[in-house]
Amino acid sequence: HDVWPRLWETDPASLTQLYEGIAFLGDNYEKILEIYAHEVSRVFGYKTEQTYFDCTNFYFEIDREDEFRRKGPEKNNRRDPIVGLGLLLDANQVPLGMKMFPGNQSEVPVIRHVLSDLKQQHHIKGKTIRVADKGLNCAENIHHAIQHGDGYIHSKSIAKLPKTEKEWVLLTDGYKQVLDTNDKVKYFIKSCVAEFIYEYKDTSGVKQRFTVTEKRVVTLNPKLRTKKIAEIKKQVNKVKNLCLSQAKRKEYGDAAKYVNFEAIDEQGLTTDNRIEAALNQEAILQDIELAGFNLILTSEIDMTPLDIYDAYHNLWRIEESFKVMKSQLDARPVYLQKQNTIIGHFLICYVAVLLLRLLQIHVFTNRNPLAKSIM
């Protein structure tokens, strides 16, 4: 209703007509996505040797859920019903497609469905390296990539590694310096190639086990380490004050990971009595020890560690796309109610990001002259 009157030689349209138009887009969004993808492929071409995938969600300021807007883990820890959106980019970070799903569904399987559908639509038969963060890194997704002739580049939580693998990360041997343009240390990096065992349960609940030859790249960023340690100390001080004031558990927020909540008696023994909060020294020391480290794993053992690092860190482009949707394009909060109008709303946001990225990559040769006004 803000944009329509500004368009060239447009006839007046009522709000009802705009909603009907959005509903039409939502009902036909898969066809529209396919048309855009076909035209982008024809005019510019996609680079699909690497694809970048991530998910986000959008909240609705309503009390009751429905079949599409469901309560789930929202990115900002809100308790409102949400919908999920998966976004796929090509190697140039140009959007390839999107997938929407109810907010209570896991993001993990979405990458498999979206990639399979889009490869079929675009007749992509070659190998695609799937790049995603640790939230989408699971054994089943890795197995799916391998079974379909694809590769992967994922990050992985170091804290959840087995003891021997964690020791390799922390061992100072093998790290090499990477310098910035001023010859100052940007980060340290090392890698190894080995066989790793993965397990997952299939749709029948049967445990499946497979072995993969993987290259693992670990980096240590000194500036990030200093920043992370400062954040940890800040949270620890917050926890100490909350413990002294006998605050309720919900008041600890993200800092609750540094607290042990136990019922103890006067002798300090565990009972069924009043809950006491105490610092979790083990969790604090582990986070300080691992601060600044990042682990990336990939099936592409012939790629250099620096190329793997650069490929993974291009994921910031997809985060940028989500940021544009949520802020500049006012994608949230969403005030629409029907599923087709909600999907139509996000389809318009998707097309806007697609056109912006095409301008940036293909017209302005990867510069962003619209940054001040749009981004």
Side-chain angles (χ1 to χ4, degrees):
H1 59 84
D2 290 330
V3 176
W4 188 267
R6 299 171 182 265
L7 299 179
W8 181 255
E9 293 185 349
T10 54
D11 294 324
S14 68
L15 200 57
T16 300
Q17 288 174 312
L18 291 179
Y19 283 135
E20 289 175 353
I22 294 172
F24 173 80
L25 295 176
D27 287 331
N28 296 277
Y29 94 100
E30 291 185 341
K31 294 178 183 178
I32 296 168
L33 284 174
E34 190 172 351
I35 291 168
Y36 268 96
H38 179 270
E39 288 302 299
V40 173
S41 180
R42 183 182 65 83
V43 177
F44 300 106
Y46 281 114
K47 292 188 68 178
T48 55
E49 62 271 20
Q50 288 179 3
T51 56
Y52 294 83
F53 188 84
D54 202 357
C55 293
T56 191
N57 47 48
F58 297 85
Y59 65 86
F60 293 76
E61 294 180 335
I62 58 174
D63 295 324
R64 291 188 177 184
E65 302 173 281
D66 54 33
E67 292 183 359
F68 192 49
R69 298 173 293 178
R70 304 296 296 271
K71 291 183 178 180
E74 202 269 336
K75 300 294 181 182
N76 298 311
N77 296 317
R78 296 178 67 99
R79 296 292 179 263
D80 303 302
I82 58 176
V83 297
L85 184 146
L87 187 63
L88 183 71
L89 308 182
D90 77 348
N92 280 332
Q93 288 81 50
V94 175
L96 270 164
M98 75 171 195
K99 186 79 172 180
M100 300 204 67
F101 52 96
N104 65 335
Q105 289 186 8
S106 170
E107 299 176 344
V108 175
V110 174
I111 187 173
R112 301 196 293 269
H113 303 321
V114 171
L115 283 165
S116 296
D117 292 346
L118 291 173
K119 288 189 77 170
Q120 185 176 1
Q121 287 176 11
H122 298 303
H123 308 288
I124 299 171
K125 297 180 180 178
K127 182 177 183 178
T128 293
I129 301 173
R130 308 176 181 183
V131 186
D133 67 10
K134 63 173 67 72
L136 297 168
N137 171 18
C138 71
E140 194 168 359
N141 281 347
I142 289 173
H143 186 261
H144 185 271
I146 294 169
Q147 289 294 104
H148 288 76
D150 287 343
Y152 58 88
I153 298 176
H154 293 163
S155 63
K156 187 176 180 68
S157 171
I158 298 174
K160 297 178 181 179
L161 289 175
K163 184 179 179 181
T164 53
E165 294 179 27
K166 194 182 296 182
E167 287 175 351
W168 172 77
V169 169
L170 297 172
L171 194 66
T172 56
D173 294 350
Y175 279 101
K176 296 181 180 179
Q177 294 181 350
V178 177
L179 305 178
D180 61 18
T181 53
N182 297 317
D183 290 332
K184 293 184 178 180
V185 176
K186 191 176 180 182
Y187 56 87
F188 299 91
I189 191 168
K190 72 174 179 178
S191 65
C192 72
V193 177
E195 289 191 343
F196 295 92
I197 299 172
Y198 286 95
E199 290 183 348
Y200 73 94
K201 289 184 179 180
D202 61 21
T203 53
S204 303
V206 179
K207 186 179 289 187
Q208 302 292 337
R209 198 178 197 194
F210 62 98
T211 303
V212 179
T213 301
E214 249 178 21
K215 176 174 276 190
R216 296 197 167 184
V217 177
V218 62
T219 60
L220 171 59
N221 187 318
K223 287 185 178 179
L224 180 61
R225 179 173 175 81
T226 301
K227 179 183 176 183
K228 289 284 187 182
I229 290 175
E231 290 174 354
I232 293 167
K233 289 181 178 178
K234 185 177 179 180
Q235 284 194 314
V236 170
N237 288 331
K238 175 185 175 182
V239 166
K240 287 179 179 178
N241 292 329
L242 289 170
C243 288
L244 288 172
S245 64
Q246 296 183 343
K248 295 180 180 179
R249 185 167 186 165
K250 64 180 180 181
E251 295 179 49
Y252 285 84
D254 293 338
K257 61 183 177 180
Y258 298 136
V259 187
N260 286 326
F261 296 95
E262 292 182 341
I264 56 175
D265 60 16
E266 293 179 357
Q267 285 74 41
L269 300 176
T270 301
T271 68
D272 295 327
N273 299 333
R274 183 169 58 88
I275 298 293
E276 292 284 350
L279 283 176
N280 185 340
Q281 295 290 353
E282 185 179 348
I284 295 168
L285 292 174
Q286 177 178 264
D287 280 6
I288 290 175
E289 185 180 44
L290 299 179
F293 286 94
N294 186 41
L295 178 63
I296 305 170
L297 48 91
T298 179
S299 57
E300 307 311 294
I301 59 176
D302 293 328
M303 286 181 70
T304 68
L306 290 178
D307 286 341
I308 294 166
Y309 177 88
D310 289 341
Y312 175 75
H313 282 271
N314 273 330
L315 274 172
W316 72 270
R317 285 286 197 189
I318 205 164
E319 292 294 338
E320 181 189 61
S321 298
F322 288 144
K323 183 178 179 181
V324 170
M325 278 190 183
K326 291 180 178 181
S327 54
Q328 279 73 25
L329 299 179
D330 292 333
R332 67 174 189 184
V334 187
Y335 299 108
L336 301 163
Q337 298 180 16
K338 297 180 180 179
Q339 182 170 336
N340 56 1
T341 56
I342 292 168
I343 294 175
H345 166 72
F346 285 108
L347 174 62
I348 294 170
C349 293
Y350 169 86
V351 171
V353 171
L354 170 62
L355 296 177
L356 179 62
R357 189 68 77 219
L358 289 174
L359 283 169
Q360 182 179 346
I361 300 295
H362 295 290
V363 179
F364 297 110
T365 60
N366 218 15
R367 291 181 294 108
N368 191 9
L370 307 180
K372 290 184 180 178
S373 61
I374 294 183
M375 301 182 68

